[in-house]
Structures are given as structure tokens and as C-alpha cells.
Amino acid sequence: METRVVRACGDPGADREVMKEAAGIIKAGGLVAIPTETVYGLAGDALNPSSSKKIYEAKGRPSDNPLIVHIAKLKDMERIAEDIPGTAYKLAEKYWPGPLTMILKKKEIVPYETTGGLDTVAVRFPVNMIAREFIEASGGFIAAPSANRSGRPSCTTAKHCLEDLDGKVDMIIDGGEVGIGLESTIIDLTGGRPCILRQGYINEEMLRDALGDVETEAPETEHPKAPGMKYRHYAPKGIMKIVQGEGSHVEEKIIEMVSEHLSREEKVAVISSHEKYQEYLDNFRDRSSVSVYDIGSTEDEDLIAHRLFAILREIDDTGAGYIYSESFDTPRLGKAIMDRLYRAAGHNIIYSD
Ligand code: TXA
Ligand code: MG
């Protein structure tokens, strides 16, 4: 299959031809990679079982890991979900369209191929205009996991999609870099208390603001309610470790460990805050086997979130066998950022003091 990459800009007039073509692909059971505000998605018709099967194949993903159904009108939630609790409407009013996914009881119309055999369905109403034009044009119900091949970091550009999906999807809609860079927050509304299954841009405090009471699933639960959380996602090819500790102990520890690898002529990468970046550069001047990535200032957590996946991909391209990352426990997005980093590192943490 030849994969076509086409540009879109989010203006319905200008995008009309692209959307017509993309919708034709979806209605014929094909696949299209699309931008959203969080990460790129690998889209197919959510109500067509064979499209969902194709998504699993293209992604190389186990078929017990359910797909999120994307809608472009609030009313459409009621066509795919039933027994919808009041909490869903409260959240929708505050945070939809936006980077929030709600788990609800599914209606029969949603095939088990899409929900990985579950009686629940994950519903998301994205804010990105290109995604919304595309969903509307394609019939209203789009299944879309993150567009990366299973196990790779999520895609934040069309170029990443092409790296992972060339020859596996009919079309990639290039809408430029995504805004947020981390996947949506997932909240389960099918139990007693609303429960956060995946951290994201809509954080605990924002959810509590809307609902009062919210619980969070423990990070290393053996059987997580979101099946995807059990996989070691975003795994870079090298061995990754996260270094934690107070102040300058962190960079001292990282410099010590990188030096050991250098003495063995091993390739290393470091994910650094902007604040400590120069310190590493000064220490490893002229050492071509160390790549240091400035992920942004700890004062600018949106930038850290935005760059994280692209940096993990770049590190893979350098062929680094070992990766050390600082920890980014920032106030608003820290939990979401660290969830991705911990899983990239397989929860491999070093304490520096
Ligand atoms: O931001 C996002 O959510 C992106 C964009 C493309 O919308 N999508 C995304 O999809 O991250 P994916 O498939 O990579 O992650 C979806 C997660 C998985 O961990 C999956 O197990 C969980 O949602 N999930 C989906 N349906 C579920 C359900 N019915 N119950 C529990 N978890 C569910
Ligand atoms: Mg994913």
C-alpha cells in the first residue's frame, strides 16, 4: 500500500478536498493517521469491526487493548454509550472538546473488536479542528489509538507517523506539530467513584474541580482497568534510568554514570532540564558519544510535555545504549510527564543521595 501524506490547516473551506478524500478512505474501511491536540492518532471507522482489526494489525498491537472512540458532537456520546452518569455531562461541559477521555458503558452498536472485548467504551471529543473536520466528514465515530507502532513513543508530528506507518495506512494528514504532546487523560465513570486511569493534561485538580471526589488508580497496578497501561510503552531501544534527588546531586550522579559508560566507549544520551544543560555540555565537551537533550526549563512544563516523545525518538536514532533522564515533578503536568518517563524507563529509578 502506498501511504500519501497530505497537508491540512484546520480551515474547513481550505481542507474540503483533503477531508473528502480521507472520509472516502475511512468509509471504505481504510486507515488514516490524523493530528489531534494530544498526539497523532491512527484512525479507522469505530463501528466497522474490520477497520478495528486493521488498526491492530497496522499498529502491531495486542487486540485485547481497546481503542478510544472519537466524536465531534457531544450528542454523539449518547449514540455509543448508555446509562451515562451525570458526572460525564459535568466533565463534558467543562473540558470537552479537549484532551479528556471518559470510560462509559457501551451500546450494542459499538463492536467488541473496537473495545477489545469490553462492555465499556472510551469516548473522546478532541478540540483540534482538523480532527473534528475529519471525524464529521467520516461519519462521526472514529477509533484511534496513538499512531505509533506498539511500544514506540507516541507521534507528535506527521514525520513520526510516516516513520512508523509507511505502507501500513492509506493516508497521513499532516497538521503540523501537535500542541500538548501527551495522550489524553482517561477517567473511568462506570464504577462508584470516578477513577483516573491515565494522567494527562486535564489533571487531578481540574477533575476534582468539576466532580469533587476523584480517585486515581495506583501506577503499578497488576491488572489496570485501562489494559494499555500494563504495557511498557514508549520503550526506547537503550536502557533508560531516571535519576532523582536533591538539587545538584542529580547532575553529579548523571555525570558520574555517563563518565563510566564513556570509559567503556559506550554511547549515552542525557535528558536534561534547561537549567542543568550547560553543566553537562561543559563536562562532556568534545565527547561525541554523549548526546545531551535540553527538554526545556522546569518553569515551562508545557514545553517539557511537548518535547518528551520527540526526544525519545531522536535518542533512538542516535543508537544510544544508555539513557539517563532527570525527573520533572512539575506542579501541573508533573504526574503525566513522569508517568510516561517511568514507563519508558521500565520504572528504573536511581536515587542520587
Ligand atoms: O490522546 C489520546 O488519547 C490519543 C489520541 C489519538 O486521541 N489516543 C490514545 O490512544 O492515546 P491509545 O490507544 O494509545 O491509548 C488508549 C488507552 C489504552 O491504554 C487503552 O487500554 C485504554 O485507553 N482504553 C481504551 N478503551 C478502554 C476501555 N473501554 N476501558 C478501559 N481502558 C480503555
Ligand atoms: Mg498509545
Side-chain angles (χ1 to χ4, degrees), residues 34-42 59 61 64-70 99-104 114-116 118-124 126 144-148 154 182-186 188 197-198 224-231 233-234 340 343:
I34 57 159
T36 81
E37 68 275 22
T38 56
V39 297
Y40 273 75
L42 167 48
K59 205 174 148 66
R61 172 178 191 159
D64 66 341
N65 189 0
L67 308 174
I68 296 176
V69 180
H70 297 66
L100 176 68
T101 297
M102 302 190 218
I103 309 294
L104 301 166
T114 299
T115 65
L118 298 176
D119 288 316
T120 54
V121 58
V123 188
R124 165 154 140 73
S146 50
N148 54 291
S154 295
L182 302 176
E183 307 85 346
S184 62
T185 306
I186 302 180
D188 181 7
L197 306 186
R198 180 171 75 184
K225 283 193 215 141
M229 299 301 274
K230 68 176 177 267
Y231 297 105
H233 263 97
Y234 329 119
R340 275 59 174 189
R343 279 187 298 131

Side-chain angles (χ1 to χ4, degrees), residues 80 82 106-111:
I80 51 173
E82 59 191 15
K106 88 171 187 74
K107 273 191 174 162
E108 214 177 298
I109 186 176
V110 186

Side-chain angles (χ1 to χ4, degrees), residues 9 16 31 50 64 96 105 119 138 144 193 211 234 291 312 352:
C9 64
R16 187 167 299 127
L31 304 181
S50 80
D64 66 341
W96 269 5
K105 203 169 153 204
D119 288 316
S138 305
R193 284 167 80 193
L211 302 181
Y234 329 119
S291 319
L312 289 175
S352 62

